Amino acid sequence: MVDKISAVKGMNDVLPPQSADWEWLEGVVRDLMRRHAYQNLRTPIVEPTGLFVRGLGEVTDIVEKEMYSFTDRLNGEELTLRPENTAGVVRASIEHSMLYEGGKRLYYMGPMFRHERPQRGRYRQFHQIGAEALGFAGPEVDAEIILLAHHLWQALGLVDVRLEINSLGQLPERQAHRSALIAYLEQHESQLDADAKRRLHTNPLRILDTKNPDLQTLVNAAPKLMDFLGEESLAHFNRLRQMLDASQVAYRINPRLVRGMDYYNLTVFEFITDSLGSQGTICGGGRYDTLIEQLGGKPAPAIGWAMGVERVIELLREQGLLPSTPKPDVYAIIGDATDLPQVLVHLQTLRRAGLSVQMHASPRLEWSGMKAQFKKADASGATYALIFGPQELAQGMVGRKSLRDASAEQDTLALSALASWASDLQSRVL
Ligand code: ATP
Ligand code: MG
């Protein structure tokens, strides 16, 4: 026996029938994006490492310790499996001058890679669905993109998802706050843990985000960024709030919400649930008005969010919202293998009409008996069995039996009527 090869730790296969849940979620998202006029963008999974170092900031968790980076053996290029996709979207928008004629509303779906400790809701390959609005400065787009996520929870039927928002203001406001914060934390340095001490002079804002319960009192009393915001930043925030209020979207202002990436300014937000344990953030985002310029583009404002697909699917499962596994409409039982060529033609007729048709296929070279085929038909969960027996076929007919209704008799149907029967059935299903 040769050794079995397993998937990489923290990277999962998505098998049927669960893969149908993913397809269903993706379908709901596509439709929602269409209704909000967001267009799909597909960028490579591998990007130059420098994109993330420059885009995300050197002292972020992701760049410090979570990236899958490697040197291309063939040409020495420094490459990274994307840990997130905002930087990639911005790179593509610059490379293709996508903002030349004005703003763009974009969305993506796909795998991301972070070398983290695998646990519930935290994997090394995980999937994000993201929305980005590039080239718009006003708070109306902040409201639009937050409402887009809110509408997604509604379309999925999710409950117990709360919205937290904050404003990070602009750089000079953050710098003034940062000085005050460092001074405050220095006064209490002996109380800080190792992580906080390390961040004190590199990224003190992140200390406010600490999960250490011993530091909560200290960070609660720390200087608040909101108190350092100028008139314009406050006006932007208040206009966003008016729009959320008018749309009856409930939110909480969380002055300690800072987010993991360095590129954010003004509005930041997260959608959080208490039903998933400590991995409760299902979606996060914010405004990043300087990132495009920082990555070499013509300065343009932008805002976006990303949601974790695994976490949303798990929440849907917890709340019993996943649709039942789709079953075929028809299982085709075929009496004689010599009839296969003409039967396949009839099956295509049914499929063209939109039906899901599972053909019996033999596990061995000799063709299966009728009893074995009926067993398979039952196990498939199909609504109908169509029985293509040699006598029926010779008369231009096919047998039909409902598999859902045990009392239903088997009857026959003219092959010439298959197409109209299929479209009748299809319109009943829809
Ligand atoms: P967390 O605080 O949970 O680590 P994050 O701030 O690192 O999240 P973002 O970079 O904002 O996460 O990514 C957006 C969303 O992607 C998160 O809210 C989460 O739902 C999901 N996500 C992030 N990292 C992972 C992961 N390792 N496994 C599964 N989902 C993830
Ligand atoms: Mg993280």
Side-chain angles (χ1 to χ4, degrees), residues 204-212 219 256-260:
L205 213 59
R206 292 282 286 160
I207 300 176
L208 300 181
D209 206 19
T210 179
K211 292 186 172 115
N212 184 346
V219 296
R256 283 167 47 192
L257 181 65
V258 295
R259 312 261 322 123

Side-chain angles (χ1 to χ4, degrees), residues 11 36 48 50 59 70 118 203 212 263 276 305 320 322 368 379 390 392:
M11 305 200 180
H36 288 75
V59 290
F70 57 98
N203 204 347
N212 184 346
Y263 49 58
L276 294 179
W305 52 249
L322 290 170
S368 318
E392 285 95 337

